[in-house]
Every structure is written in structure tokens, then in C-alpha cells.
Amino acid sequence: RRLIQGEDMKKRSVLYHRKGYFPAFWIFLAGFLAGVLIPNLIWRLEWHQKTVSSLYLIGTFADKTEEGYGYLAQVFRTRGSFYLLAALCGLSIFGVPLAVASVLFAGIQTGFLLAVSILQFGLQGGIVGASLLFPHYLVYIPCLFYLMAAVYSRSLEIWRSRGFFPGKVFGYVLQVFFCGLAYTAGIFLEVFLNPKIVEIVMRNLKIF
């Protein structure tokens, strides 16, 4: 039985490798844990760490107070340019490192924000930190996993010198397009709904 199980595990490993399996969740989790641990490790090193974290959080909150189409254009430029860059990298050998780095950074950023919020303001700060990510991150994270899995898989084929296949490129473009629609919905949630949620939470908790 052990031999059979061992062979099955090897077959699955080979299958995942051939299909370009991308462990997005585990990479994100590793980044999230790093983002949580780093602030805790450096928190007591110097007195001005709290000042720096306060400025970081105030700057983050300030972004959420912007309204209107100017803020929408800003978010579209920031997130849209990254999305297009990632999609284009999927058609080159740069998609593999970009996919890993993007998911890892997203995990670190999320963990860092929550950890600093809690360290600075306690449990109430954690609630405010979570409000900064809601509800758009419920769209962004699945889109990020899906897009980076497609980018990684497509780029890995090019990395192995398999070249371009029209059918696969068309399928990849469709994946990017439909994922982009969901990603766009996340942008509208971030611009028009998230600031209102943050405002309500901050007004009730009265942290600042």
C-alpha cells in the first residue's frame, strides 16, 4: 500500500509539474505570515517605530477619504497597469517570477497592514485594518490567484521553449479578459464602497 501511495504521489507531482501547477494559496500564506511577523519583530527595537507605523496608517486612511472620478482614475492607473503588466508577462519568460513575487507581496502587504493596525491600536485597530480590505479584497485575492496561475502556467510553457500555440494563446486571452471583468468590479468596490465602510468603522470606534 505504501508503494502504491508513493507512486500515486509521484504521479500527482509530475502531473502538477506538467500542467504548471501554481501553489498560489501557499505562497500567499507564507507572505501573510511574514507580513505579520516582521512588524512584531521590529516593534520594540526603537521608539520611533510606533511613529512610523502611525504615519503609515494615517496615509492609508487618507487614501480612503478621496472620492469621485479622480480617485477612480488613480486606482485604475495603479491596479490596471499592474494587471496589464502581469497579463503581458504571461506571454514571456518573466511571468513565472512575476507570479510568485506578486502573490508573495500581496500576502506580505495584507499581513503587514493587519499586524501594524493591531499593534498600534489594539483590537479596534485590527477591525479598522480589516475594514480597509473589505469588500474589494474578496474580489482581488481570488482574481489574483486565478490570473497568476494562468500567467505562471502560460509563461512556464514558454520557459520550456514550447513556443506559442494560437489555441492556447486565445484561451489565455479569454482567461485574462474574464478575470479582468471581475477585477474591474473589485476596483469599483474599492473606490465607491470601501471608503464608506472605513468611514463608518472609524466614526464608531473613534480611533483618531
Side-chain angles (χ1 to χ4, degrees), residues 21-35 82 86 94-112 137 140-153 183:
Y21 171 71
F22 182 60
F25 172 78
W26 298 109
I27 296 174
F28 181 86
L29 181 61
F32 181 84
L33 293 176
F82 163 74
F94 301 107
V96 171
L98 178 81
V100 175
S102 298
V103 175
L104 185 65
F105 178 76
I108 292 174
Q109 186 181 42
T110 304
F112 187 87
Y137 263 59
Y140 284 155
I141 297 302
C143 284
L144 180 69
F145 286 6
Y146 181 83
L147 175 66
M148 291 307 160
V151 168
Y152 180 88
S153 178
Y183 197 77

mmCIF file of all heavy atoms in Angstrom, residues 21-35 82 86 94-112 137 140-153 183:
data_model
loop_
_atom_site.group_PDB
_atom_site.id
_atom_site.type_symbol
_atom_site.label_atom_id
_atom_site.label_comp_id
_atom_site.label_asym_id
_atom_site.label_seq_id
_atom_site.Cartn_x
_atom_site.Cartn_y
_atom_site.Cartn_z
ATOM 1 N N TYR A 21 1.302 23.659 -12.316
ATOM 2 C CA TYR A 21 0.555 23.902 -11.081
ATOM 3 C C TYR A 21 1.190 25.049 -10.308
ATOM 4 O O TYR A 21 2.398 25.066 -10.082
ATOM 5 C CB TYR A 21 0.526 22.634 -10.229
ATOM 6 C CG TYR A 21 -0.035 22.831 -8.845
ATOM 7 C CD1 TYR A 21 -1.395 23.068 -8.660
ATOM 8 C CD2 TYR A 21 0.794 22.796 -7.729
ATOM 9 C CE1 TYR A 21 -1.921 23.255 -7.392
ATOM 10 C CE2 TYR A 21 0.282 22.981 -6.459
ATOM 11 C CZ TYR A 21 -1.069 23.201 -6.299
ATOM 12 O OH TYR A 21 -1.576 23.391 -5.034
ATOM 13 N N PHE A 22 0.383 25.997 -9.880
ATOM 14 C CA PHE A 22 0.872 27.171 -9.163
ATOM 15 C C PHE A 22 0.248 27.217 -7.775
ATOM 16 O O PHE A 22 -0.961 27.428 -7.633
ATOM 17 C CB PHE A 22 0.517 28.435 -9.943
ATOM 18 C CG PHE A 22 1.012 29.696 -9.300
ATOM 19 C CD1 PHE A 22 2.364 29.893 -9.086
ATOM 20 C CD2 PHE A 22 0.119 30.683 -8.923
ATOM 21 C CE1 PHE A 22 2.826 31.065 -8.499
ATOM 22 C CE2 PHE A 22 0.570 31.857 -8.348
ATOM 23 C CZ PHE A 22 1.925 32.032 -8.133
ATOM 24 N N PRO A 23 1.052 27.022 -6.727
ATOM 25 C CA PRO A 23 0.516 26.988 -5.343
ATOM 26 C C PRO A 23 0.260 28.380 -4.801
ATOM 27 O O PRO A 23 0.917 28.838 -3.853
ATOM 28 C CB PRO A 23 1.626 26.262 -4.576
ATOM 29 C CG PRO A 23 2.875 26.647 -5.293
ATOM 30 C CD PRO A 23 2.498 26.755 -6.758
ATOM 31 N N ALA A 24 -0.688 29.084 -5.385
ATOM 32 C CA ALA A 24 -0.933 30.489 -5.037
ATOM 33 C C ALA A 24 -1.288 30.643 -3.561
ATOM 34 O O ALA A 24 -0.793 31.553 -2.882
ATOM 35 C CB ALA A 24 -2.048 31.054 -5.912
ATOM 36 N N PHE A 25 -2.144 29.763 -3.064
ATOM 37 C CA PHE A 25 -2.597 29.892 -1.668
ATOM 38 C C PHE A 25 -1.430 29.793 -0.699
ATOM 39 O O PHE A 25 -1.318 30.583 0.246
ATOM 40 C CB PHE A 25 -3.634 28.817 -1.352
ATOM 41 C CG PHE A 25 -4.017 28.766 0.105
ATOM 42 C CD1 PHE A 25 -4.900 29.694 0.633
ATOM 43 C CD2 PHE A 25 -3.469 27.799 0.954
ATOM 44 C CE1 PHE A 25 -5.245 29.661 1.976
ATOM 45 C CE2 PHE A 25 -3.806 27.763 2.295
ATOM 46 C CZ PHE A 25 -4.699 28.702 2.810
ATOM 47 N N TRP A 26 -0.533 28.829 -0.923
ATOM 48 C CA TRP A 26 0.581 28.605 -0.005
ATOM 49 C C TRP A 26 1.601 29.737 -0.086
ATOM 50 O O TRP A 26 2.198 30.119 0.925
ATOM 51 C CB TRP A 26 1.231 27.261 -0.289
ATOM 52 C CG TRP A 26 0.282 26.120 -0.092
ATOM 53 C CD1 TRP A 26 -0.269 25.327 -1.060
ATOM 54 C CD2 TRP A 26 -0.277 25.670 1.150
ATOM 55 N NE1 TRP A 26 -1.128 24.411 -0.506
ATOM 56 C CE2 TRP A 26 -1.153 24.598 0.848
ATOM 57 C CE3 TRP A 26 -0.121 26.075 2.472
ATOM 58 C CZ2 TRP A 26 -1.862 23.918 1.839
ATOM 59 C CZ3 TRP A 26 -0.839 25.404 3.466
ATOM 60 C CH2 TRP A 26 -1.684 24.343 3.144
ATOM 61 N N ILE A 27 1.799 30.285 -1.279
ATOM 62 C CA ILE A 27 2.704 31.425 -1.413
ATOM 63 C C ILE A 27 2.123 32.642 -0.702
ATOM 64 O O ILE A 27 2.826 33.376 0.013
ATOM 65 C CB ILE A 27 2.955 31.742 -2.900
ATOM 66 C CG1 ILE A 27 3.683 30.580 -3.574
ATOM 67 C CG2 ILE A 27 3.773 33.023 -3.050
ATOM 68 C CD1 ILE A 27 3.836 30.743 -5.074
ATOM 69 N N PHE A 28 0.818 32.862 -0.881
ATOM 70 C CA PHE A 28 0.149 33.972 -0.211
ATOM 71 C C PHE A 28 0.211 33.797 1.300
ATOM 72 O O PHE A 28 0.467 34.765 2.038
ATOM 73 C CB PHE A 28 -1.314 34.060 -0.670
ATOM 74 C CG PHE A 28 -2.084 35.184 -0.044
ATOM 75 C CD1 PHE A 28 -2.053 36.456 -0.604
ATOM 76 C CD2 PHE A 28 -2.840 34.980 1.096
ATOM 77 C CE1 PHE A 28 -2.754 37.507 -0.029
ATOM 78 C CE2 PHE A 28 -3.550 36.019 1.682
ATOM 79 C CZ PHE A 28 -3.504 37.286 1.114
ATOM 80 N N LEU A 29 -0.020 32.584 1.771
ATOM 81 C CA LEU A 29 0.017 32.309 3.207
ATOM 82 C C LEU A 29 1.405 32.570 3.779
ATOM 83 O O LEU A 29 1.536 33.150 4.862
ATOM 84 C CB LEU A 29 -0.406 30.865 3.477
ATOM 85 C CG LEU A 29 -0.449 30.432 4.957
ATOM 86 C CD1 LEU A 29 -1.446 31.291 5.729
ATOM 87 C CD2 LEU A 29 -0.814 28.952 5.068
ATOM 88 N N ALA A 30 2.441 32.155 3.053
ATOM 89 C CA ALA A 30 3.815 32.411 3.502
ATOM 90 C C ALA A 30 4.077 33.915 3.592
ATOM 91 O O ALA A 30 4.679 34.407 4.555
ATOM 92 C CB ALA A 30 4.814 31.753 2.549
ATOM 93 N N GLY A 31 3.624 34.666 2.580
ATOM 94 C CA GLY A 31 3.778 36.116 2.606
ATOM 95 C C GLY A 31 2.988 36.751 3.735
ATOM 96 O O GLY A 31 3.473 37.670 4.407
ATOM 97 N N PHE A 32 1.774 36.259 3.968
ATOM 98 C CA PHE A 32 0.932 36.793 5.047
ATOM 99 C C PHE A 32 1.595 36.595 6.404
ATOM 100 O O PHE A 32 1.629 37.513 7.232
ATOM 101 C CB PHE A 32 -0.435 36.106 5.014
ATOM 102 C CG PHE A 32 -1.384 36.591 6.074
ATOM 103 C CD1 PHE A 32 -2.135 37.735 5.869
ATOM 104 C CD2 PHE A 32 -1.515 35.911 7.272
ATOM 105 C CE1 PHE A 32 -3.009 38.193 6.843
ATOM 106 C CE2 PHE A 32 -2.385 36.364 8.260
ATOM 107 C CZ PHE A 32 -3.134 37.505 8.041
ATOM 108 N N LEU A 33 2.133 35.401 6.640
ATOM 109 C CA LEU A 33 2.815 35.129 7.911
ATOM 110 C C LEU A 33 4.041 36.018 8.076
ATOM 111 O O LEU A 33 4.314 36.521 9.167
ATOM 112 C CB LEU A 33 3.203 33.652 7.983
ATOM 113 C CG LEU A 33 2.040 32.655 8.070
ATOM 114 C CD1 LEU A 33 2.559 31.221 8.036
ATOM 115 C CD2 LEU A 33 1.224 32.890 9.334
ATOM 116 N N ALA A 34 4.777 36.224 6.981
ATOM 117 C CA ALA A 34 5.938 37.119 7.034
ATOM 118 C C ALA A 34 5.491 38.541 7.338
ATOM 119 O O ALA A 34 6.127 39.253 8.134
ATOM 120 C CB ALA A 34 6.696 37.073 5.708
ATOM 121 N N GLY A 35 4.384 38.969 6.722
ATOM 122 C CA GLY A 35 3.867 40.308 6.966
ATOM 123 C C GLY A 35 3.405 40.508 8.395
ATOM 124 O O GLY A 35 3.464 41.624 8.929
ATOM 125 N N PHE A 82 -0.801 47.393 -13.300
ATOM 126 C CA PHE A 82 -0.233 46.141 -12.794
ATOM 127 C C PHE A 82 -0.879 44.936 -13.474
ATOM 128 O O PHE A 82 -0.195 43.978 -13.858
ATOM 129 C CB PHE A 82 -0.438 46.043 -11.280
ATOM 130 C CG PHE A 82 -0.274 44.649 -10.744
ATOM 131 C CD1 PHE A 82 0.998 44.081 -10.623
ATOM 132 C CD2 PHE A 82 -1.371 43.891 -10.382
ATOM 133 C CE1 PHE A 82 1.151 42.784 -10.142
ATOM 134 C CE2 PHE A 82 -1.234 42.602 -9.902
ATOM 135 C CZ PHE A 82 0.036 42.047 -9.772
ATOM 136 N N ALA A 86 1.102 42.223 -15.730
ATOM 137 C CA ALA A 86 1.108 40.803 -15.380
ATOM 138 C C ALA A 86 0.613 39.947 -16.543
ATOM 139 O O ALA A 86 1.185 38.897 -16.853
ATOM 140 C CB ALA A 86 0.240 40.566 -14.150
ATOM 141 N N PHE A 94 9.084 36.081 -18.184
ATOM 142 C CA PHE A 94 9.048 36.846 -16.941
ATOM 143 C C PHE A 94 7.792 36.573 -16.116
ATOM 144 O O PHE A 94 7.691 37.038 -14.980
ATOM 145 C CB PHE A 94 9.142 38.341 -17.241
ATOM 146 C CG PHE A 94 10.385 38.722 -17.984
ATOM 147 C CD1 PHE A 94 10.326 39.064 -19.333
ATOM 148 C CD2 PHE A 94 11.617 38.718 -17.352
ATOM 149 C CE1 PHE A 94 11.474 39.419 -20.023
ATOM 150 C CE2 PHE A 94 12.771 39.066 -18.043
ATOM 151 C CZ PHE A 94 12.704 39.408 -19.385
ATOM 152 N N GLY A 95 6.848 35.838 -16.689
ATOM 153 C CA GLY A 95 5.612 35.570 -15.972
ATOM 154 C C GLY A 95 5.796 34.710 -14.745
ATOM 155 O O GLY A 95 5.101 34.893 -13.738
ATOM 156 N N VAL A 96 6.740 33.762 -14.781
ATOM 157 C CA VAL A 96 6.951 32.852 -13.653
ATOM 158 C C VAL A 96 7.416 33.606 -12.406
ATOM 159 O O VAL A 96 6.776 33.517 -11.353
ATOM 160 C CB VAL A 96 7.945 31.735 -14.032
ATOM 161 C CG1 VAL A 96 8.330 30.918 -12.799
ATOM 162 C CG2 VAL A 96 7.337 30.821 -15.092
ATOM 163 N N PRO A 97 8.524 34.373 -12.475
ATOM 164 C CA PRO A 97 8.937 35.103 -11.271
ATOM 165 C C PRO A 97 7.936 36.175 -10.853
ATOM 166 O O PRO A 97 7.757 36.438 -9.663
ATOM 167 C CB PRO A 97 10.288 35.718 -11.663
ATOM 168 C CG PRO A 97 10.292 35.751 -13.156
ATOM 169 C CD PRO A 97 9.493 34.561 -13.582
ATOM 170 N N LEU A 98 7.264 36.807 -11.838
ATOM 171 C CA LEU A 98 6.296 37.838 -11.505
ATOM 172 C C LEU A 98 5.117 37.254 -10.732
ATOM 173 O O LEU A 98 4.642 37.855 -9.762
ATOM 174 C CB LEU A 98 5.788 38.522 -12.770
ATOM 175 C CG LEU A 98 4.725 39.593 -12.504
ATOM 176 C CD1 LEU A 98 5.394 40.891 -12.072
ATOM 177 C CD2 LEU A 98 3.852 39.831 -13.711
ATOM 178 N N ALA A 99 4.646 36.086 -11.138
ATOM 179 C CA ALA A 99 3.515 35.453 -10.467
ATOM 180 C C ALA A 99 3.854 35.148 -9.010
ATOM 181 O O ALA A 99 3.069 35.436 -8.100
ATOM 182 C CB ALA A 99 3.117 34.176 -11.208
ATOM 183 N N VAL A 100 5.021 34.576 -8.789
ATOM 184 C CA VAL A 100 5.444 34.240 -7.423
ATOM 185 C C VAL A 100 5.596 35.509 -6.587
ATOM 186 O O VAL A 100 5.084 35.594 -5.459
ATOM 187 C CB VAL A 100 6.764 33.446 -7.443
ATOM 188 C CG1 VAL A 100 7.264 33.201 -6.019
ATOM 189 C CG2 VAL A 100 6.577 32.124 -8.175
ATOM 190 N N ALA A 101 6.287 36.506 -7.139
ATOM 191 C CA ALA A 101 6.544 37.746 -6.400
ATOM 192 C C ALA A 101 5.246 38.495 -6.096
ATOM 193 O O ALA A 101 5.086 39.058 -5.006
ATOM 194 C CB ALA A 101 7.493 38.636 -7.193
ATOM 195 N N SER A 102 4.309 38.507 -7.031
ATOM 196 C CA SER A 102 3.060 39.254 -6.852
ATOM 197 C C SER A 102 2.209 38.662 -5.743
ATOM 198 O O SER A 102 1.686 39.392 -4.889
ATOM 199 C CB SER A 102 2.263 39.276 -8.162
ATOM 200 O OG SER A 102 2.976 39.936 -9.175
ATOM 201 N N VAL A 103 2.058 37.348 -5.750
ATOM 202 C CA VAL A 103 1.252 36.700 -4.716
ATOM 203 C C VAL A 103 1.936 36.822 -3.353
ATOM 204 O O VAL A 103 1.286 37.058 -2.333
ATOM 205 C CB VAL A 103 1.005 35.221 -5.075
ATOM 206 C CG1 VAL A 103 0.263 34.510 -3.944
ATOM 207 C CG2 VAL A 103 0.202 35.123 -6.368
ATOM 208 N N LEU A 104 3.252 36.666 -3.338
ATOM 209 C CA LEU A 104 4.002 36.795 -2.086
ATOM 210 C C LEU A 104 3.864 38.206 -1.516
ATOM 211 O O LEU A 104 3.620 38.389 -0.310
ATOM 212 C CB LEU A 104 5.474 36.471 -2.324
ATOM 213 C CG LEU A 104 6.382 36.448 -1.083
ATOM 214 C CD1 LEU A 104 5.977 35.325 -0.144
ATOM 215 C CD2 LEU A 104 7.844 36.290 -1.492
ATOM 216 N N PHE A 105 4.005 39.219 -2.373
ATOM 217 C CA PHE A 105 3.896 40.602 -1.926
ATOM 218 C C PHE A 105 2.485 40.915 -1.428
ATOM 219 O O PHE A 105 2.315 41.646 -0.444
ATOM 220 C CB PHE A 105 4.265 41.552 -3.065
ATOM 221 C CG PHE A 105 4.133 42.999 -2.711
ATOM 222 C CD1 PHE A 105 5.082 43.623 -1.912
ATOM 223 C CD2 PHE A 105 3.049 43.736 -3.165
ATOM 224 C CE1 PHE A 105 4.953 44.963 -1.570
ATOM 225 C CE2 PHE A 105 2.912 45.073 -2.825
ATOM 226 C CZ PHE A 105 3.865 45.694 -2.032
ATOM 227 N N ALA A 106 1.467 40.381 -2.105
ATOM 228 C CA ALA A 106 0.087 40.602 -1.674
ATOM 229 C C ALA A 106 -0.134 40.032 -0.275
ATOM 230 O O ALA A 106 -0.810 40.645 0.560
ATOM 231 C CB ALA A 106 -0.886 39.965 -2.670
ATOM 232 N N GLY A 107 0.438 38.860 -0.016
ATOM 233 C CA GLY A 107 0.328 38.271 1.317
ATOM 234 C C GLY A 107 1.040 39.109 2.362
ATOM 235 O O GLY A 107 0.506 39.345 3.457
ATOM 236 N N ILE A 108 2.254 39.567 2.048
ATOM 237 C CA ILE A 108 3.020 40.398 2.986
ATOM 238 C C ILE A 108 2.272 41.699 3.272
ATOM 239 O O ILE A 108 2.168 42.132 4.427
ATOM 240 C CB ILE A 108 4.417 40.707 2.407
ATOM 241 C CG1 ILE A 108 5.252 39.423 2.342
ATOM 242 C CG2 ILE A 108 5.134 41.765 3.249
ATOM 243 C CD1 ILE A 108 6.595 39.600 1.660
ATOM 244 N N GLN A 109 1.754 42.327 2.230
ATOM 245 C CA GLN A 109 1.042 43.594 2.380
ATOM 246 C C GLN A 109 -0.190 43.434 3.272
ATOM 247 O O GLN A 109 -0.444 44.266 4.157
ATOM 248 C CB GLN A 109 0.638 44.117 1.006
ATOM 249 C CG GLN A 109 0.007 45.500 1.021
ATOM 250 C CD GLN A 109 -0.386 45.952 -0.367
ATOM 251 O OE1 GLN A 109 -0.922 45.178 -1.154
ATOM 252 N NE2 GLN A 109 -0.118 47.204 -0.683
ATOM 253 N N THR A 110 -0.941 42.367 3.053
ATOM 254 C CA THR A 110 -2.141 42.124 3.848
ATOM 255 C C THR A 110 -1.793 41.854 5.304
ATOM 256 O O THR A 110 -2.380 42.439 6.228
ATOM 257 C CB THR A 110 -2.923 40.928 3.275
ATOM 258 O OG1 THR A 110 -3.221 41.160 1.898
ATOM 259 C CG2 THR A 110 -4.228 40.712 4.038
ATOM 260 N N GLY A 111 -0.837 40.966 5.532
ATOM 261 C CA GLY A 111 -0.433 40.648 6.897
ATOM 262 C C GLY A 111 0.161 41.851 7.609
ATOM 263 O O GLY A 111 -0.103 42.070 8.795
ATOM 264 N N PHE A 112 0.962 42.641 6.894
ATOM 265 C CA PHE A 112 1.600 43.811 7.479
ATOM 266 C C PHE A 112 0.571 44.837 7.931
ATOM 267 O O PHE A 112 0.654 45.392 9.036
ATOM 268 C CB PHE A 112 2.564 44.432 6.464
ATOM 269 C CG PHE A 112 3.399 45.549 7.015
ATOM 270 C CD1 PHE A 112 4.606 45.277 7.645
ATOM 271 C CD2 PHE A 112 2.992 46.868 6.898
ATOM 272 C CE1 PHE A 112 5.386 46.304 8.152
ATOM 273 C CE2 PHE A 112 3.764 47.899 7.403
ATOM 274 C CZ PHE A 112 4.967 47.617 8.036
ATOM 275 N N TYR A 137 -11.109 43.254 -1.433
ATOM 276 C CA TYR A 137 -10.131 42.171 -1.400
ATOM 277 C C TYR A 137 -10.783 40.800 -1.553
ATOM 278 O O TYR A 137 -10.111 39.822 -1.902
ATOM 279 C CB TYR A 137 -9.314 42.232 -0.108
ATOM 280 C CG TYR A 137 -7.987 42.930 -0.299
ATOM 281 C CD1 TYR A 137 -7.932 44.249 -0.758
ATOM 282 C CD2 TYR A 137 -6.790 42.289 -0.046
ATOM 283 C CE1 TYR A 137 -6.738 44.897 -0.944
ATOM 284 C CE2 TYR A 137 -5.575 42.925 -0.229
ATOM 285 C CZ TYR A 137 -5.553 44.234 -0.685
ATOM 286 O OH TYR A 137 -4.352 44.876 -0.881
ATOM 287 N N TYR A 140 -10.337 40.844 -5.217
ATOM 288 C CA TYR A 140 -8.951 40.932 -5.664
ATOM 289 C C TYR A 140 -8.174 39.629 -5.443
ATOM 290 O O TYR A 140 -7.435 39.193 -6.332
ATOM 291 C CB TYR A 140 -8.221 42.062 -4.926
ATOM 292 C CG TYR A 140 -8.561 43.453 -5.395
ATOM 293 C CD1 TYR A 140 -8.412 44.551 -4.551
ATOM 294 C CD2 TYR A 140 -9.024 43.691 -6.686
ATOM 295 C CE1 TYR A 140 -8.717 45.837 -4.975
ATOM 296 C CE2 TYR A 140 -9.333 44.968 -7.111
ATOM 297 C CZ TYR A 140 -9.181 46.040 -6.256
ATOM 298 O OH TYR A 140 -9.473 47.298 -6.686
ATOM 299 N N ILE A 141 -8.300 39.046 -4.273
ATOM 300 C CA ILE A 141 -7.483 37.863 -3.949
ATOM 301 C C ILE A 141 -7.815 36.675 -4.864
ATOM 302 O O ILE A 141 -6.903 36.077 -5.443
ATOM 303 C CB ILE A 141 -7.629 37.477 -2.469
ATOM 304 C CG1 ILE A 141 -7.096 38.607 -1.571
ATOM 305 C CG2 ILE A 141 -6.880 36.183 -2.178
ATOM 306 C CD1 ILE A 141 -5.650 38.965 -1.821
ATOM 307 N N PRO A 142 -9.104 36.298 -5.040
ATOM 308 C CA PRO A 142 -9.397 35.214 -5.995
ATOM 309 C C PRO A 142 -8.942 35.552 -7.415
ATOM 310 O O PRO A 142 -8.430 34.684 -8.130
ATOM 311 C CB PRO A 142 -10.925 35.069 -5.925
ATOM 312 C CG PRO A 142 -11.296 35.597 -4.586
ATOM 313 C CD PRO A 142 -10.333 36.716 -4.317
ATOM 314 N N CYS A 143 -9.130 36.825 -7.825
ATOM 315 C CA CYS A 143 -8.674 37.238 -9.158
ATOM 316 C C CYS A 143 -7.165 37.124 -9.268
ATOM 317 O O CYS A 143 -6.635 36.691 -10.305
ATOM 318 C CB CYS A 143 -9.114 38.669 -9.448
ATOM 319 S SG CYS A 143 -10.852 38.852 -9.878
ATOM 320 N N LEU A 144 -6.463 37.522 -8.212
ATOM 321 C CA LEU A 144 -5.005 37.439 -8.210
ATOM 322 C C LEU A 144 -4.551 35.992 -8.339
ATOM 323 O O LEU A 144 -3.657 35.674 -9.132
ATOM 324 C CB LEU A 144 -4.450 38.055 -6.923
ATOM 325 C CG LEU A 144 -2.925 38.030 -6.783
ATOM 326 C CD1 LEU A 144 -2.281 38.985 -7.792
ATOM 327 C CD2 LEU A 144 -2.511 38.400 -5.359
ATOM 328 N N PHE A 145 -5.157 35.115 -7.568
ATOM 329 C CA PHE A 145 -4.802 33.689 -7.637
ATOM 330 C C PHE A 145 -5.057 33.131 -9.030
ATOM 331 O O PHE A 145 -4.216 32.424 -9.594
ATOM 332 C CB PHE A 145 -5.613 32.894 -6.613
ATOM 333 C CG PHE A 145 -5.181 33.085 -5.188
ATOM 334 C CD1 PHE A 145 -4.205 34.012 -4.851
ATOM 335 C CD2 PHE A 145 -5.747 32.343 -4.168
ATOM 336 C CE1 PHE A 145 -3.799 34.189 -3.540
ATOM 337 C CE2 PHE A 145 -5.345 32.504 -2.859
ATOM 338 C CZ PHE A 145 -4.373 33.433 -2.538
ATOM 339 N N TYR A 146 -6.223 33.457 -9.585
ATOM 340 C CA TYR A 146 -6.603 32.927 -10.894
ATOM 341 C C TYR A 146 -5.694 33.469 -11.986
ATOM 342 O O TYR A 146 -5.188 32.718 -12.835
ATOM 343 C CB TYR A 146 -8.060 33.297 -11.185
ATOM 344 C CG TYR A 146 -8.576 32.776 -12.505
ATOM 345 C CD1 TYR A 146 -9.046 31.463 -12.621
ATOM 346 C CD2 TYR A 146 -8.592 33.587 -13.636
ATOM 347 C CE1 TYR A 146 -9.523 30.976 -13.828
ATOM 348 C CE2 TYR A 146 -9.060 33.110 -14.849
ATOM 349 C CZ TYR A 146 -9.525 31.809 -14.934
ATOM 350 O OH TYR A 146 -9.989 31.336 -16.140
ATOM 351 N N LEU A 147 -5.474 34.793 -11.968
ATOM 352 C CA LEU A 147 -4.640 35.405 -13.003
ATOM 353 C C LEU A 147 -3.207 34.898 -12.923
ATOM 354 O O LEU A 147 -2.612 34.540 -13.947
ATOM 355 C CB LEU A 147 -4.653 36.926 -12.850
ATOM 356 C CG LEU A 147 -3.717 37.693 -13.805
ATOM 357 C CD1 LEU A 147 -4.183 37.539 -15.245
ATOM 358 C CD2 LEU A 147 -3.631 39.168 -13.415
ATOM 359 N N MET A 148 -2.636 34.856 -11.722
ATOM 360 C CA MET A 148 -1.247 34.450 -11.583
ATOM 361 C C MET A 148 -1.049 32.971 -11.895
ATOM 362 O O MET A 148 0.017 32.574 -12.367
ATOM 363 C CB MET A 148 -0.738 34.776 -10.181
ATOM 364 C CG MET A 148 -0.616 36.265 -9.932
ATOM 365 S SD MET A 148 0.376 37.086 -11.224
ATOM 366 C CE MET A 148 -0.152 38.774 -11.032
ATOM 367 N N ALA A 149 -2.064 32.166 -11.647
ATOM 368 C CA ALA A 149 -1.985 30.763 -12.038
ATOM 369 C C ALA A 149 -1.928 30.648 -13.558
ATOM 370 O O ALA A 149 -1.151 29.851 -14.113
ATOM 371 C CB ALA A 149 -3.179 29.982 -11.489
ATOM 372 N N ALA A 150 -2.749 31.464 -14.251
ATOM 373 C CA ALA A 150 -2.740 31.464 -15.716
ATOM 374 C C ALA A 150 -1.427 32.027 -16.249
ATOM 375 O O ALA A 150 -0.842 31.478 -17.199
ATOM 376 C CB ALA A 150 -3.917 32.294 -16.236
ATOM 377 N N VAL A 151 -0.945 33.109 -15.646
ATOM 378 C CA VAL A 151 0.322 33.723 -16.059
ATOM 379 C C VAL A 151 1.471 32.742 -15.855
ATOM 380 O O VAL A 151 2.325 32.566 -16.736
ATOM 381 C CB VAL A 151 0.573 35.022 -15.262
ATOM 382 C CG1 VAL A 151 2.001 35.518 -15.450
ATOM 383 C CG2 VAL A 151 -0.411 36.102 -15.685
ATOM 384 N N TYR A 152 1.496 32.115 -14.702
ATOM 385 C CA TYR A 152 2.564 31.161 -14.373
ATOM 386 C C TYR A 152 2.564 29.984 -15.350
ATOM 387 O O TYR A 152 3.609 29.598 -15.886
ATOM 388 C CB TYR A 152 2.367 30.666 -12.945
ATOM 389 C CG TYR A 152 3.407 29.675 -12.480
ATOM 390 C CD1 TYR A 152 4.586 30.114 -11.886
ATOM 391 C CD2 TYR A 152 3.199 28.305 -12.615
ATOM 392 C CE1 TYR A 152 5.538 29.204 -11.447
ATOM 393 C CE2 TYR A 152 4.142 27.397 -12.186
ATOM 394 C CZ TYR A 152 5.306 27.850 -11.598
ATOM 395 O OH TYR A 152 6.249 26.932 -11.172
ATOM 396 N N SER A 153 1.373 29.413 -15.572
ATOM 397 C CA SER A 153 1.255 28.244 -16.445
ATOM 398 C C SER A 153 1.662 28.572 -17.873
ATOM 399 O O SER A 153 2.411 27.820 -18.514
ATOM 400 C CB SER A 153 -0.174 27.714 -16.405
ATOM 401 O OG SER A 153 -0.326 26.615 -17.273
ATOM 402 N N TYR A 183 -12.006 41.800 -11.855
ATOM 403 C CA TYR A 183 -11.042 42.709 -11.238
ATOM 404 C C TYR A 183 -11.543 44.152 -11.292
ATOM 405 O O TYR A 183 -11.383 44.920 -10.342
ATOM 406 C CB TYR A 183 -9.705 42.577 -11.961
ATOM 407 C CG TYR A 183 -8.515 43.126 -11.216
ATOM 408 C CD1 TYR A 183 -7.941 42.419 -10.168
ATOM 409 C CD2 TYR A 183 -7.960 44.346 -11.581
ATOM 410 C CE1 TYR A 183 -6.844 42.913 -9.497
ATOM 411 C CE2 TYR A 183 -6.858 44.854 -10.912
ATOM 412 C CZ TYR A 183 -6.301 44.137 -9.871
ATOM 413 O OH TYR A 183 -5.213 44.629 -9.199
#
